[in-house]
Amino acid sequence: MALTFDNGEQVLCFHGPLLYEAKVLKAELWQDKAGFEDGSYYFVHYKGWKNTWDEWVPESRILKFTPENLQKQADLKDAVMVQKKAAQLKKSAAAAASGEGDTRKRKTREESAGAGLGVREREEEFLKRPEVKISIPESLKTRLVEEWEWVTKEHKLVPLPRTPTVQDILQSYSLVAPTYFSKHNATHLASTLAETLEGLRLYFDKALGNLLLYRFERQQYVDIRKRLVDKEVSAVYGAEHLLRMFVQLPSLIAHTNMEREAVSLLKDHFALVLEWMEENLESLFVKEGEYGGVPSEYLSGLRG
């Protein structure tokens, strides 16, 4: 197993829900280490932080220092700020309705005084949260690896627009979902089915351009958006990129404040969707022979 990051390398590292600039001080492969899964671990120093915050982190928390990942860092920061502002507005409205505005203002000033400490405490609380795991069926894992090789190594592209699209797939699943609920004694999921599928569609539309594309696919994304400017990407892309999103969902869920019960419901929904996708793999996914090669102009555009 090779190490992805080198000693002294500048990286971006997750700490809580945000990405911070950091430097790799040590890199090691750990095996049979009590309390840790086998894999690559890195001792990092966060830029501008005291050395007391230096820590060992798994490779899953580190990203390369690239323009794409810097944009992801900015997007995450913006998302957290939006959440904070929304929470503040909600609190203000509640205080006004209950006639406790003055009391809340005093409390807000007191809370602001300890804001610096509060950020660190929230980050520590985040790290203590239980890991969210979504089990990807083996045949779908194999498909992910194969597709990665076709796109990144053989320079092939999924033909777009896809049939069926992500919207088609979610709609098709919604029609058969009650059968899966009965099969797994999970009829309690019926009341949250529509909300869950709509959430998946919305997140796909937001995440595709930032999280779900390989570098070789970015020019295709730019081209298709110009051609189909009025269409959501969930009406253009299909199962291949939807499956990649399920790989990213644990990180997304971990960076929210959802209650355990809500997280459990989502995991149950996702497991059934993936089971259905596995059973319908042949009809949902593009076959290898249908992946398209690219003209020389496409490769020239990437180099440029």
Side-chain angles (χ1 to χ4, degrees):
M1 182 185 296
L3 290 164
T4 304
F5 304 93
D6 300 321
N7 289 344
E9 183 173 350
Q10 185 180 18
V11 296
L12 293 172
C13 186
F14 275 105
H15 194 94
L18 296 175
L19 281 165
Y20 297 90
E21 291 185 35
K23 182 178 181 180
V24 175
L25 303 180
K26 300 177 186 177
E28 296 180 1
L29 290 173
W30 290 0
Q31 289 186 323
D32 302 322
K33 193 176 182 70
F36 297 90
E37 294 184 0
D38 291 352
S40 303
Y41 287 81
Y42 303 87
F43 192 67
V44 300
H45 170 73
Y46 297 98
K47 182 179 178 180
W49 294 28
K50 293 182 179 179
N51 292 344
T52 52
W53 286 96
D54 294 356
E55 61 177 340
W56 285 99
V57 299
E59 188 169 295
S60 60
R61 278 180 51 189
I62 304 182
L63 298 178
K64 288 285 186 181
F65 196 87
T66 64
E68 292 84 1
N69 290 331
L70 285 170
Q71 182 59 52
K72 181 177 180 180
Q73 178 192 36
D75 291 343
L76 287 171
K77 184 177 180 180
D78 288 344
V80 169
M81 290 300 296
V82 169
Q83 289 179 351
K84 287 182 178 179
K85 288 180 180 178
Q88 289 171 355
L89 287 172
K90 186 176 180 181
K91 289 180 180 178
S92 297
S98 62
E100 297 176 358
D102 293 339
T103 302
R104 296 298 295 173
K105 287 179 182 177
R106 288 194 298 272
K107 188 174 181 181
T108 299
R109 287 195 294 270
E110 293 168 1
E111 290 172 347
S112 297
L117 178 61
V119 170
R120 295 287 186 267
E121 290 175 343
R122 286 194 295 274
E123 288 169 344
E124 291 179 354
E125 288 173 3
F126 171 82
L127 292 175
K128 293 176 183 177
R129 294 178 190 172
E131 183 180 2
V132 178
K133 292 185 178 181
I134 297 175
S135 179
I136 307 294
E138 287 302 319
S139 62
L140 294 182
K141 286 182 182 178
T142 300
R143 178 68 195 212
L144 281 167
V145 174
E146 290 176 342
E147 197 213 4
W148 177 82
E149 292 180 345
W150 296 337
V151 175
T152 65
K153 301 297 184 183
E154 299 179 24
H155 288 173
K156 297 178 180 179
L157 292 172
V158 176
L160 298 176
R162 283 284 290 112
T163 301
T165 65
V166 169
Q167 291 183 12
D168 296 332
I169 291 168
L170 296 177
Q171 174 62 22
S172 296
Y173 172 73
S174 72
L175 299 176
V176 300
T179 303
Y180 285 80
F181 296 161
S182 298
K183 176 182 176 182
H184 293 278
N185 193 27
T187 53
H188 63 285
L189 297 177
S191 62
T192 53
L193 173 64
E195 180 183 0
T196 300
L197 296 183
E198 178 64 6
L200 286 173
R201 183 190 69 78
L202 290 172
Y203 181 62
F204 184 88
D205 286 332
K206 296 293 185 184
L208 179 77
N210 291 325
L211 299 176
L212 307 182
L213 296 174
Y214 299 129
R215 181 178 180 274
F216 188 69
E217 296 174 312
R218 291 197 171 276
Q219 187 58 48
Q220 183 192 36
Y221 171 77
V222 171
D223 294 342
I224 200 72
R225 295 300 286 153
K226 288 179 181 177
R227 283 173 45 207
L228 305 175
V229 65
D230 294 327
K231 282 197 172 186
E232 298 284 2
V233 291
S234 56
V236 177
Y237 286 77
E240 297 75 22
H241 294 80
L242 178 61
L243 180 57
R244 295 183 205 173
M245 187 178 77
F246 278 103
V247 177
Q248 298 287 343
L249 284 174
S251 175
L252 169 71
I253 295 172
H255 297 155
T256 68
N257 293 318
M258 281 192 286
E259 299 290 338
R260 286 180 178 270
E261 293 79 3
V263 172
S264 180
L265 282 174
L266 285 179
K267 289 170 63 178
D268 290 344
H269 274 297
F270 297 161
L272 296 184
V273 174
L274 288 167
E275 179 182 332
W276 176 77
M277 289 181 68
E278 180 184 34
E279 292 175 359
N280 293 275
L281 190 151
E282 292 299 321
S283 62
L284 295 178
F285 290 82
V286 175
K287 295 177 175 59
E288 179 182 7
E290 297 172 351
Y291 274 71
V294 296
S296 56
E297 308 90 75
Y298 186 92
L299 294 174
S300 298
L302 288 176
R303 296 190 191 100

